[in-house]
Amino acid sequence: MLIDTYGRVATDLRVSLTDRCNLRCTYCMPEEGLQWLAKPDLLSDDEIVRLVSVAVTRLGVTEVRFTGGEPLLRPGLVSIVQRCVALEPRPRMSLTTNGIGLKRTAAALKDAGLDRVNVSLDTLRPEVFKTLTRRDRHHDVLAGLEAARDAGLTPVKVNTVLMPGLNDDEAPDLLAWAVGHGYELRFIEQMPLDAQHGWKRDGMITAGDILASLRTRFDLTPEDDGERGSAPAERWTVDGGPHRVGVIASVTRPFCRACDRTRLTADGQVRTCLFAREETDLRAALRSDASDEEIARIWKVAMWGKKAGSGLDDPSFLQPERPMSAIGG
């Protein structure tokens, strides 16, 4: 299994399938100028499936989530899902996406064995969406969400980042909308994910700000801490239930002590944390004909060195140099 020196065991694998995206969200990447990974540097479909197989069959991983960039841009996605679902023991399979391509792919992904999706949507206002993402695709995201729900990729979770002066007044409206459509809304504190390093701690919308805004319209009851486990989101029932809302407070309320994640980048590097500044190369081992046993050993060594925390709660935090689009959320 993947254990670290603090006794944490990683059972949740996040796999970035590509560094490319069809949006240009202001808190994630610049409008232009990013240098994409060269195709030979990316893991092939077979390499991805093999590494997932090592994680599931030899290292105790029970959950696999595909991320990006935008994973729906990966041509072999449906086949990758289908092959990973066939592993024994079968891992729980999910996908984090911007939702733009879900209308045409949701049914195929469900048929392939995908269990559920997380969809990023920060606003109900098309004009604000265009400002935040630099693309006019709001209607496509809404259509993708509906397609995912209709295909049974449930619970459909909606991830929202609130930005000062743009959508910071939308929290109650977003929750009312999510409840009305049967989606589970999760607010995420803005993190330093931008390649241009423009993130500033001062002025960010905190978990406290979000909850105060929601409580102007809703009665929120915190769930028992025991139900949270290693999940990053603190959750509340809305107006007595059954609907829930979550807040992921990575900056102001770090949850590192219960972290159960290991990460694989689009070019085959193990990262022990989203904000780690060190990586361990599995692609080189794969392409040097290393055995599954050797790959598992390298992965175990990498995870043994995982640090106690992300460092986000440190005012002097320095974010990684690598664009987060290649690392995965």
Side-chain angles (χ1 to χ4, degrees):
M1 64 182 169
L2 293 170
I3 189 170
D4 64 33
T5 56
Y6 298 92
R8 296 169 298 191
V9 178
T11 58
D12 184 336
L13 170 61
R14 304 297 170 96
V15 183
S16 175
L17 297 180
T18 178
D19 59 332
R20 296 175 183 266
C21 188
N22 40 15
L23 297 179
R24 293 293 182 272
C25 296
T26 56
Y27 53 78
C28 185
M29 62 177 65
E31 187 169 9
E32 55 186 24
L34 267 184
Q35 185 174 351
W36 305 116
L37 291 169
K39 189 172 181 179
D41 292 336
L42 291 169
L43 293 175
S44 69
D45 292 3
D46 287 345
E47 289 171 334
I48 290 169
V49 173
R50 184 179 173 198
L51 289 177
V52 172
S53 176
V54 169
V56 170
T57 63
R58 296 177 181 271
L59 296 173
V61 164
T62 58
E63 293 194 39
V64 178
R65 181 181 299 184
F66 293 115
T67 68
E70 173 45 52
L72 295 182
L73 295 179
R74 179 87 186 202
L77 173 61
V78 172
S79 174
I80 290 170
V81 170
Q82 193 168 39
R83 293 167 67 185
C84 291
V85 164
L87 295 171
E88 292 290 343
R90 182 199 188 282
R92 292 186 294 275
M93 305 284 297
S94 60
L95 180 81
T96 295
T97 172
N98 62 30
I100 287 177
L102 266 180
K103 183 176 181 180
R104 66 176 183 275
T105 57
L109 287 168
K110 179 64 176 179
D111 290 344
L114 191 72
D115 294 308
R116 64 171 192 83
V117 294
N118 285 26
V119 179
S120 299
L121 180 65
D122 301 321
T123 179
L124 299 176
R125 304 168 185 162
E127 69 279 6
V128 176
F129 182 91
K130 188 174 181 179
T131 298
L132 281 168
T133 67
R134 305 184 178 104
R135 299 292 187 271
D136 188 13
R137 306 297 297 272
H138 190 258
H139 58 288
D140 292 317
V141 180
L142 296 181
L145 279 161
E146 292 179 7
R149 181 191 61 203
D150 294 346
L153 293 171
T154 53
V156 176
K157 295 184 179 181
V158 177
N159 294 340
T160 296
V161 176
L162 296 181
M163 304 281 288
L166 286 172
N167 62 341
D168 52 336
D169 61 334
E170 286 195 67
D173 290 340
L174 280 159
L175 181 52
W177 166 82
V179 167
H181 287 80
Y183 307 139
E184 184 173 327
L185 184 61
R186 305 194 312 172
F187 292 97
I188 304 175
E189 286 184 337
Q190 185 191 0
M191 295 179 285
L193 302 176
D194 55 315
Q196 63 272 34
H197 293 193
W199 177 80
K200 294 289 186 290
R201 185 182 302 269
D202 294 341
M204 62 169 282
I205 308 301
T206 68
D209 298 330
I210 294 165
L211 292 169
S213 178
L214 293 176
R215 285 182 169 125
T216 63
R217 196 184 304 180
F218 301 96
D219 179 36
L220 303 181
T221 304
E223 284 193 340
D224 188 306
D225 285 343
E227 296 183 31
R228 181 181 181 184
S230 60
E234 296 177 79
R235 297 191 299 188
W236 288 260
T237 56
V238 180
D239 291 340
H243 300 287
R244 298 181 296 188
V245 63
V247 178
I248 299 177
S250 302
V251 179
T252 62
R253 304 179 189 176
F255 42 86
C256 301
R257 65 180 180 178
C259 181
D260 65 348
R261 296 180 184 179
T262 183
R263 298 177 181 274
L264 187 64
T265 69
D267 54 352
Q269 310 299 306
V270 169
R271 293 179 69 93
T272 59
C273 174
L274 184 61
F275 298 101
R277 301 183 68 83
E278 304 84 19
E279 297 178 336
T280 300
D281 190 359
L282 292 186
R283 185 187 63 195
L286 278 173
R287 296 180 182 179
S288 300
D289 297 323
S291 66
D292 286 357
E293 291 82 0
E294 175 62 10
I295 291 170
R297 185 195 68 80
I298 295 170
W299 207 329
K300 286 180 180 179
V301 171
M303 292 305 295
W304 183 250
K306 183 172 181 171
K307 294 181 178 179
S310 66
L312 281 177
D313 54 342
D314 183 348
S316 63
F317 170 79
L318 295 175
Q319 69 186 83
E321 295 300 319
R322 284 251 276 173
M324 287 294 168
S325 57
I327 297 170

